[in-house]
């Protein structure tokens, strides 16, 4: 009994598995690129957006402190003190968030300068609003003009510098993310094209591997049918094609034997 050790079904299955593996690798590459891109976008949020939010809160609190100084100079001292203390606390909390999220070169120095300028500004504000030793209006306006307003402007400018630093970092990260997305698109296109070429090569190879010997067997069978019984097909395959070639060879051998026996009987 002839045992088929290898068949066309297994060969075709192997070729399909190989093709699927190539396509899967392309898909995995695309997925990896998307995850990498997603990580880049996530880094934008984690690294800089937190600082931007904190700086915006600092800026808002600082503006309310400046408004409190104006209220005080206008005579609304109680309202001014409450608004100042509340805003100063909000500024401190926001600055703590920003200082604990340093991400860019030079940001730590800016943050330290903001802290020192803020401390000086707060001291001057409390000197202005000291209820135990109220200033004459002229002295209060002089302090505001000489120290508070310049201190506010300098502090606000440094806070703005931190905002610009982080916003620029976000823009750079966004540009990197877009570049990675474009690169991922080109890689996906190139990978897909390569996968199609590999799949086409595998398919052509399998078709050629199956059709070439089948066409040879068919041609030999036609010659046998035409009476050329000395045909022999070299069959070194163990699949169905090899089995078919062996069957054709055995058929040709039996026909030769029958022809030889008939010729001996006639003679």
């Amino acid at each position: 009994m002839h045992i088929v050790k290898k068949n066309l079904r297994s060969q075709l299955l192997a070729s399909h598995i190989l093709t699927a593996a190539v396509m899967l690798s392309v898909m995995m590459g695309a997925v990896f690129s998307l995850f990498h891109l997603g990580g880049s976008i996530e880094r934008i949020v984690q690294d800089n957006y937190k600082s931007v939010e904190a700086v915006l809160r600092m800026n808002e609190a600082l503006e309310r402190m400046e408004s409190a100084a104006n209220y005080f100079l206008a005579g609304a001292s109680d309202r001014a003190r409450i608004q100042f203390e509340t805003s100063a606390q909000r500024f401190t909390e926001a600055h703590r968030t920003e200082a604990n999220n340093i991400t860019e070169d030079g940001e730590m120095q800016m943050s330290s300068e903001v802290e020192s300028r803020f401390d000086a500004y707060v001291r001057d504000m409390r000197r202005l609003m000291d209820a135990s030793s109220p200033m004459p209006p002229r002295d209060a306006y002089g302090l505001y003009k000489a120290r508070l307003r310049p201190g506010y402007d300098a502090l606000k400018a440094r806070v703005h510098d931190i905002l610009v630093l982080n916003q620029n970092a976000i823009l750079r990260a966004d540009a990197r993310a877009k570049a990675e997305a474009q690169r991922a698109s080109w890689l996906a296109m190139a990978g897909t094209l390569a996968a199609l070429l590999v799949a086409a090569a595998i398919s052509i190879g399998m078709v050629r591997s199956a059709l070439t010997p089948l066409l040879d067997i068919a041609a030999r069978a036609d010659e046998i049918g035409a009476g050329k019984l000395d045909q022999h097909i070299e069959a070194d395959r163990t699949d169905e094609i090899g089995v078919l070639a062996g069957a054709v060879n055995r058929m040709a051998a039996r026909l030769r034997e029958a022809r030889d026996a008939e010729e001996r009987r006639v003679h």
Side-chain angles (χ1 to χ4, degrees):
M1 181 178 179
H2 185 73
I3 299 176
V4 179
K5 298 180 180 179
K6 185 177 181 182
N7 55 49
L8 282 176
R9 180 181 298 174
S10 64
Q11 295 178 57
L12 291 172
L13 180 61
S15 69
H16 287 309
I17 291 175
L18 181 58
T19 302
V22 173
M23 298 301 295
L24 180 62
S25 65
V26 173
M27 293 174 62
M28 291 299 293
V31 170
F32 175 79
S33 297
L34 289 175
F35 272 115
H36 187 65
L37 177 59
S40 297
I41 297 173
E42 185 177 0
R43 286 194 298 274
I44 294 173
V45 175
Q46 290 180 345
D47 291 348
N48 299 106
Y49 189 68
K50 187 176 181 180
S51 292
V52 169
E53 283 190 323
V55 170
L56 292 176
R57 292 197 301 272
M58 290 163 60
N59 195 56
E60 180 183 2
L62 185 58
E63 289 175 352
R64 289 186 62 80
M65 283 188 283
E66 172 65 9
S67 176
N70 291 321
Y71 281 135
F72 187 87
L73 294 174
S77 57
D78 290 339
R79 176 180 179 181
R81 290 187 184 99
I82 294 173
Q83 181 168 313
F84 166 72
E85 293 298 339
T86 302
S87 301
Q89 180 62 32
R90 290 176 180 172
F91 185 97
T92 300
E93 292 173 355
H95 179 259
R96 185 182 300 116
T97 299
E98 183 274 328
N100 291 330
N101 191 56
I102 301 297
T103 58
E104 303 302 319
D105 293 338
E107 185 176 359
M108 182 174 293
Q109 180 180 354
M110 292 181 184
S111 184
S112 297
E113 291 180 14
V114 165
E115 183 177 9
S116 62
R117 291 177 186 272
F118 175 71
D119 290 342
Y121 182 73
V122 167
R123 285 194 300 270
D124 290 336
M125 285 286 287
R126 285 178 176 156
R127 179 184 170 194
L128 173 70
M129 298 182 181
D130 187 2
S132 63
S133 180
M135 285 186 179
R138 178 178 294 181
D139 292 344
Y141 278 109
L143 177 62
Y144 175 80
K145 184 176 180 180
R147 294 186 59 83
L148 284 173
R149 184 65 197 193
Y152 167 81
D153 290 337
L155 179 55
K156 189 174 179 66
R158 210 55 176 148
V159 169
H160 181 71
D161 289 340
I162 297 177
L163 177 63
V164 171
L165 182 69
N166 282 276
Q167 286 177 333
N168 288 339
I170 290 176
L171 292 176
R172 290 194 301 272
D174 180 64
R176 288 196 302 271
K178 289 178 179 178
E180 289 178 8
Q182 186 176 20
R183 183 164 56 252
S185 298
W186 283 110
L187 287 175
M189 291 174 60
T192 301
L193 179 60
L196 290 174
L197 292 176
V198 171
I202 292 173
S203 299
I204 292 172
M206 285 303 303
V207 170
R208 184 176 297 170
S209 176
L211 286 184
T212 299
L214 285 175
L215 291 174
D216 182 58
I217 292 172
R220 298 297 181 90
D222 286 340
E223 292 182 358
I224 291 172
K228 299 179 180 179
L229 303 181
D230 56 345
Q231 302 297 319
H232 180 77
I233 302 171
E234 295 295 334
D236 56 353
R237 301 172 62 124
T238 59
D239 56 12
E240 289 87 348
I241 294 176
V243 173
L244 178 61
V248 173
N249 286 336
R250 288 191 295 274
M251 178 187 68
R254 293 191 185 102
L255 289 174
R256 285 197 302 272
E257 291 174 359
R259 182 193 61 187
D260 294 342
E262 180 64 21
E263 288 178 352
R264 288 195 296 273
R265 186 183 67 78
V266 172
H267 292 87

